[in-house]
Amino acid sequence: MDKLKAAIEKIMEKDCDMAVISKNENIFYLTGFRPSARAFLILTDEPFLMVTSMDIDEAENSSIDVFEFKKSEDVKEKIGSLSPKAVIFEPSLPIGTFNKLRDSFKFVIEDIIGNLRMIKEKFEIEYIKEALRIAEESFREIEVEGVEAMIAANLEYHMKIKGSMKPAFDTIVASGIRSSNPHAKVSFNKIKTPVVIDWGATWKYYYSDTTRTIVKREVEEEMLDILLDAQREGVKTAKPGVKASYIDKVVRGVISEYGYEDNFIHSTGHGIGLEVHEPPSLSVNEDIKLEKNMIVTIEPGIYIKGKFGMRIEDMVLIKKNPKILNTLPSRI
Amino acid sequence: MDKLKAAIEKIMEKDCDMAVISKNENIFYLTGFRPSARAFLILTDEPFLMVTSMDIDEAENSSIDVFEFKKSEDVKEKIGSLSPKAVIFEPSLPIGTFNKLRDSFKFVIEDIIGNLRMIKEKFEIEYIKEALRIAEESFREIEVEGVEAMIAANLEYHMKIKGSMKPAFDTIVASGIRSSNPHAKVSFNKIKTPVVIDWGATWKYYYSDTTRTIVKREVEEEMLDILLDAQREGVKTAKPGVKASYIDKVVRGVISEYGYEDNFIHSTGHGIGLEVHEPPSLSVNEDIKLEKNMIVTIEPGIYIKGKFGMRIEDMVLIKKNPKILNTLPSRI
């Protein structure tokens, strides 16, 4: 209920008297109810949920009022009956749905919940650590051999039987020349080094996200050293009060020193929790300052087109002495 | 390229001179390039892609021009440089992104590509059948015994090693009282009948979606008979020229005859292809008429709160003699 209160304060700060929360992760965060279909949390003096027939039983287990809707018009009507003056909608709301809900009231497009979600409560940190524990334990069970798809299938299988709800994302196993594509799909190629493995588990809707690269040749070893150096420097700076963009600057700086500036083609990391990628972004334009109990990934990578690439990714808890949550060694 | 032409004709029909395609499935459908991050396909006389640095190499393999963008403003600027008079945006575009792209031009919110995608080309039908073949073959490999999560993990493992890119959705294995929830998450409960298993595979981005229910007690057998009766009647009507809502009416009618009208709490089915749920919807308000080579699911279900529930789901190719694509028996 504290979270609901904090959300309602945010609404007042924006001079609004209602917010329509449509992002499933945010509805879950505020109410404990996880929609399986389109749903809306209407935040006013007396918040309530609007759900379809599919979700009505589940929603009624939450502590706030629930109404069923069949069509968007039902939601629009219900909102209208409260005569709001100014309504906050979320940036993630599809424009088609927005057009069905908008009315004569003023509106503001703002993600008021995403910012609340950045700082993790104690139980959230535990859930994220549990997801990570499952992911790492599963990695320890498998052999990195054979074809890429088999390694991914094994990892996902072990995560599931250890209690992961689902893979946090499509597990990446990209080896040899394919490692130069940071988002490569698994293939049925037999692996050769380097082997980039990027995987995560889900515990009670909270995610983990980790990458390890298995190297063999000296040139690969050397590149991994650069990434570990960059990551180490990044982790050191991941303290409360530091701008998220500064970590990116530090990590990118180390990689640049070695001449690979143009080969680090993605941001340094991202917040993680109920979404795999959530604020803050550790990237050049992110103004958000880190705060205690945020959890972010730090994942420097170097990709050489047509040759190979690699990445190392750990999850870091922001505090005065930044803590790497991973227990798996960086070098496998 | 025929698809691009068809899309551009749709733009002209709406008196517009540009469309901004932002839905990844639609970009893939029109260009063969699958974005791994936010991307835009700008449809004008000379269509082009706008992608981030992550996707630039992949995008350049497609046959149309590619530009890189770093921020939404870059996309807005590029659009502005072409001085469009009226631009189509997709209903799925997040309102936050829309606000960053809109400009002085007029705009229309319309899903012009979704309708094109409903009718499948020959290769698309083959891909969907291949996804279904993988899913069914995987089902044949597993034993339905032990705990729910184990059954789901086994199914997903077999699908992946047979070439499925990923599960089409979180595999549902819901048994005993939990079967009364059509969207139940897997648990670590030992199964008891009925066991509802809803699963699908992905072949080259095309999905399958199937449900089987394993029954034992006579009361369960009888309910399954009702579903099979309803499904049979639905399949018979799934012909070109028939309104999608009519199939829903027929299926719902059979279930109502047996007195379970209020227990069939979802629609009768949905189109399937590059998305698991895509138009047409086989539901009460769907005005779309079926056409040859659409593929839809027909999935009647009965859910008795606090007791049990079940569903049976097959994929049907629309033609004069509607064809069930599944080969797995309805009764396992």
Side-chain angles (χ1 to χ4, degrees):
Chain A
M1 289 308 276
D2 284 354
K3 286 169 183 167
L4 270 180
K5 264 188 208 158
I8 286 168
E9 265 172 36
K10 288 261 180 197
I11 297 172
M12 294 193 293
E13 276 172 28
K14 300 281 164 195
D15 283 326
C16 291
D17 54 347
M18 181 186 282
V20 175
I21 305 300
S22 47
K23 194 170 185 169
N24 280 354
E25 291 86 352
N26 290 345
I27 293 175
F28 177 69
Y29 180 75
L30 293 173
T31 68
F33 156 68
R34 182 81 181 193
S36 72
R38 180 50 92 196
F40 301 93
L41 169 63
I42 313 294
L43 288 181
T44 59
D45 301 343
E46 292 175 35
F48 60 91
L49 283 164
M50 297 206 71
V51 305
T52 63
S53 57
M54 288 290 279
D55 277 332
I56 194 93
D57 291 345
E58 195 82 7
E60 278 171 349
N61 291 332
S62 76
S63 55
I64 65 173
D65 287 340
V66 180
F67 298 90
E68 188 179 325
F69 75 94
K70 292 197 187 303
K71 313 184 293 290
S72 306
E73 290 74 48
D74 302 341
V75 181
K76 181 178 180 173
E77 204 173 285
K78 185 80 187 159
I79 292 172
S81 73
L82 298 168
S83 310
K85 288 194 188 71
V87 179
I88 297 177
F89 290 92
E90 302 188 293
S92 57
L93 182 67
I95 175 85
T97 311
F98 171 75
N99 281 344
K100 286 178 186 160
L101 299 182
R102 71 185 291 180
D103 210 331
S104 53
F105 46 71
K106 276 188 256 178
F107 63 85
V108 174
I109 307 297
E110 182 101 17
D111 177 14
I112 54 170
I113 311 301
N115 287 341
L116 292 178
R117 275 175 38 199
M118 284 194 294
I119 297 166
K120 268 63 182 179
E121 289 185 40
K122 204 172 165 194
F123 82 90
E124 294 182 290
I125 295 171
E126 288 311 311
Y127 286 6
I128 291 168
K129 282 165 82 172
E130 179 61 12
L132 182 56
R133 193 192 65 74
I134 291 170
E136 292 199 324
E137 204 177 281
S138 299
F139 188 87
R140 288 191 176 100
E141 302 248 4
I142 65 156
E143 300 295 330
V144 181
E145 59 183 28
V147 299
E148 291 176 3
M150 199 64 153
I151 295 165
N154 272 323
L155 256 177
E156 293 183 358
Y157 174 80
H158 281 285
M159 290 196 287
K160 189 132 196 164
I161 65 171
K162 288 182 201 303
S164 169
M165 298 173 79
K166 59 175 174 182
F169 46 86
D170 296 353
T171 300
I172 295 172
V173 180
S175 81
I177 191 175
R178 299 181 67 258
S179 63
S180 68
N181 175 0
H183 278 174
K185 300 276 164 199
V186 294
S187 78
F188 278 80
N189 294 348
K190 199 170 173 333
I191 56 162
K192 36 188 169 180
T193 59
V195 189
V196 176
I197 305 182
D198 189 348
W199 80 107
T202 318
W203 178 254
K204 295 189 179 176
Y205 298 107
Y206 286 83
Y207 293 113
S208 75
D209 185 4
T210 294
T211 307
R212 289 292 178 270
T213 300
I214 293 153
V215 297
K216 194 171 168 189
R217 293 179 302 150
E218 199 177 327
V219 56
E220 296 167 5
E221 292 277 7
E222 281 169 12
M223 193 182 279
L224 185 57
D225 279 334
I226 297 170
L227 294 182
L228 292 175
D229 189 10
Q231 194 192 42
R232 205 159 29 235
E233 293 305 313
V235 173
K236 272 190 215 163
T237 65
K239 297 178 186 211
V242 172
K243 258 197 183 180
S245 58
Y246 183 69
I247 305 184
D248 183 71
K249 195 177 165 186
V250 167
V251 170
R252 211 166 286 281
V254 175
I255 291 176
S256 302
E257 272 173 42
Y258 290 96
Y260 287 114
E261 190 171 0
D262 295 339
N263 303 95
F264 182 22
I265 57 174
H266 53 70
S267 61
T268 289
H270 51 83
I272 183 165
L274 289 170
E275 288 171 280
V276 178
H277 292 93
E278 58 179 45
S281 168
L282 307 190
S283 59
V284 62
N285 290 313
E286 181 65 271
D287 287 326
I288 293 171
K289 275 190 181 158
L290 299 180
E291 291 184 54
K292 193 181 166 189
N293 292 340
M294 288 183 175
I295 296 181
V296 300
T297 67
I298 299 190
E299 47 177 310
I302 297 175
Y303 309 93
I304 302 179
K305 202 178 155 176
K307 294 198 167 165
F308 65 91
M310 60 180 69
R311 178 169 64 260
I312 181 104
E313 176 181 26
D314 286 86
M315 294 171 67
V316 178
L317 179 64
I318 307 298
K319 48 183 204 160
K320 228 158 140 192
N321 295 308
K323 185 174 162 51
I324 294 180
L325 300 177
N326 294 65
T327 63
L328 211 57
S330 303
R331 226 175 243 282
I332 305 285
Chain B
M1 289 309 275
D2 283 354
K3 288 170 184 168
L4 271 179
K5 264 189 207 157
I8 285 168
E9 265 172 37
K10 288 263 180 194
I11 297 172
M12 294 194 293
E13 275 172 29
K14 301 279 164 195
D15 282 327
C16 292
D17 53 348
M18 182 187 281
V20 174
I21 305 300
S22 48
K23 194 170 185 169
N24 280 354
E25 292 85 353
N26 290 344
I27 293 175
F28 177 69
Y29 180 77
L30 293 173
T31 69
F33 156 67
R34 182 81 180 192
S36 72
R38 179 50 92 196
F40 301 93
L41 168 63
I42 313 296
L43 288 181
T44 59
D45 302 344
E46 291 176 34
F48 59 92
L49 281 164
M50 297 205 71
V51 305
T52 64
S53 57
M54 288 288 278
D55 278 331
I56 194 92
D57 291 345
E58 195 82 10
E60 278 171 348
N61 291 333
S62 76
S63 56
I64 65 172
D65 287 342
V66 181
F67 298 90
E68 188 178 325
F69 75 94
K70 291 196 188 302
K71 315 184 291 288
S72 306
E73 290 74 51
D74 301 342
V75 180
K76 181 177 180 173
E77 204 174 284
K78 185 80 187 163
I79 292 172
S81 74
L82 298 168
S83 311
K85 288 195 190 69
V87 179
I88 297 176
F89 289 92
E90 301 187 296
S92 57
L93 183 67
I95 174 86
T97 311
F98 172 75
N99 281 344
K100 286 178 187 161
L101 299 183
R102 71 184 292 180
D103 211 332
S104 54
F105 47 70
K106 277 189 256 180
F107 63 83
V108 174
I109 307 297
E110 181 101 16
D111 177 15
I112 55 170
I113 310 301
N115 286 341
L116 291 179
R117 275 173 41 198
M118 285 193 295
I119 297 165
K120 268 64 183 179
E121 289 186 39
K122 203 171 165 194
F123 82 90
E124 294 182 289
I125 296 171
E126 288 311 311
Y127 286 6
I128 292 168
K129 281 165 81 172
E130 179 62 11
L132 182 57
R133 191 192 66 74
I134 291 170
E136 294 200 323
E137 205 178 280
S138 299
F139 187 87
R140 288 192 175 99
E141 301 247 4
I142 66 156
E143 300 295 329
V144 181
E145 59 184 29
V147 300
E148 291 176 4
M150 199 65 152
I151 295 166
N154 272 324
L155 257 177
E156 293 183 358
Y157 174 80
H158 281 285
M159 290 195 290
K160 190 133 195 162
I161 65 171
K162 287 183 202 304
S164 169
M165 298 174 81
K166 59 175 174 181
F169 45 87
D170 296 352
T171 300
I172 295 172
V173 180
S175 81
I177 192 176
R178 299 180 66 260
S179 62
S180 68
N181 174 1
H183 277 173
K185 300 275 165 199
V186 294
S187 77
F188 279 81
N189 295 347
K190 198 169 174 329
I191 56 162
K192 36 187 168 182
T193 60
V195 189
V196 176
I197 305 180
D198 189 349
W199 80 107
T202 317
W203 179 254
K204 295 189 179 175
Y205 297 106
Y206 285 83
Y207 293 113
S208 75
D209 184 4
T210 294
T211 307
R212 289 292 180 267
T213 299
I214 292 154
V215 297
K216 193 172 169 188
R217 293 180 301 150
E218 201 179 326
V219 56
E220 295 166 6
E221 293 277 6
E222 281 169 13
M223 194 183 279
L224 185 58
D225 278 334
I226 297 170
L227 294 182
L228 292 175
D229 189 10
Q231 194 192 42
R232 204 159 30 234
E233 293 305 312
V235 172
K236 272 189 215 163
T237 64
K239 298 179 184 209
V242 173
K243 259 196 182 180
S245 59
Y246 183 70
I247 304 185
D248 184 71
K249 195 177 166 186
V250 166
V251 170
R252 209 165 288 281
V254 175
I255 291 175
S256 302
E257 272 173 42
Y258 290 96
Y260 287 114
E261 189 171 3
D262 295 339
N263 303 94
F264 182 23
I265 57 175
H266 53 69
S267 61
T268 289
H270 51 84
I272 183 164
L274 289 170
E275 288 171 280
V276 178
H277 292 94
E278 58 179 46
S281 168
L282 307 190
S283 59
V284 61
N285 290 314
E286 181 64 273
D287 287 327
I288 294 171
K289 275 191 183 158
L290 299 179
E291 291 182 54
K292 193 181 166 189
N293 292 340
M294 288 182 175
I295 295 180
V296 299
T297 67
I298 298 190
E299 47 177 310
I302 297 175
Y303 309 93
I304 302 179
K305 201 179 157 177
K307 295 198 166 165
F308 64 91
M310 61 181 68
R311 179 169 65 260
I312 181 105
E313 176 181 26
D314 286 87
M315 296 171 67
V316 178
L317 178 64
I318 307 298
K319 47 183 205 160
K320 227 158 142 192
N321 295 309
K323 186 176 163 48
I324 295 181
L325 298 178
N326 295 65
T327 63
L328 212 57
S330 303
R331 224 176 247 282
I332 304 287

